[in-house]
Amino acid sequence: MAAWLDGDTSRPVVTTAVRFTLEELADVAPGNSVEVRVPPAGAVQAVAGPRHTRGTPPNVVETDVDTWLGLATGRLSWADARAAGRVNASGERADLSALLPLQAARPRPPR
């Protein structure tokens, strides 16, 4: 995460940052009612509620890696991303605004 925050946009760094933040989301909001997809880097099921087991989940959030990392770090708000069409969210539990940004992914203040 630190490497991405410092400006490294290489594929391995971005993929690792996305996977780390998806894991953080699952830790902050454990559950299986929302599937968060950030192709091609990763996906996770999170948020408490009815468990989904087959087919397309009823609650899906999908976005690109840049948007996801912006949301996870607070560089982009959920409302702005939705308004710009950068996030596709379907289902009644697919609003992640109360969970983002992720505390562990926020940029550190300058020293």
Side-chain angles (χ1 to χ4, degrees), residues 2-41:
W4 180 80
L5 288 169
D6 288 339
D8 187 341
T9 58
S10 64
R11 186 176 180 133
V13 166
V14 170
T15 300
T16 299
V18 169
R19 289 179 182 166
F20 169 77
T21 53
L22 288 172
E23 288 174 12
E24 287 295 310
L25 176 65
D27 286 346
V28 169
N32 297 95
S33 69
V34 179
E35 186 166 296
V36 181
R37 301 173 180 167
V38 186

Side-chain angles (χ1 to χ4, degrees), residues 22-96:
L22 288 172
E23 288 174 12
E24 287 295 310
L25 176 65
D27 286 346
V28 169
N32 297 95
S33 69
V34 179
E35 186 166 296
V36 181
R37 301 173 180 167
V38 186
V44 70
Q45 289 189 356
V47 184
R51 182 177 179 88
H52 169 75
T53 56
R54 297 182 67 174
T56 301
N59 300 287
V60 176
V61 173
E62 187 166 344
T63 190
D64 61 272
V65 295
D66 292 331
T67 300
W68 173 252
L69 290 173
L71 290 166
T73 59
R75 294 179 175 185
L76 178 64
S77 75
W78 179 262
D80 289 344
R82 291 281 291 153
R86 295 176 63 182
V87 172
N88 293 319
S90 62
E92 63 186 43
R93 298 178 188 276
D95 182 347
L96 302 181

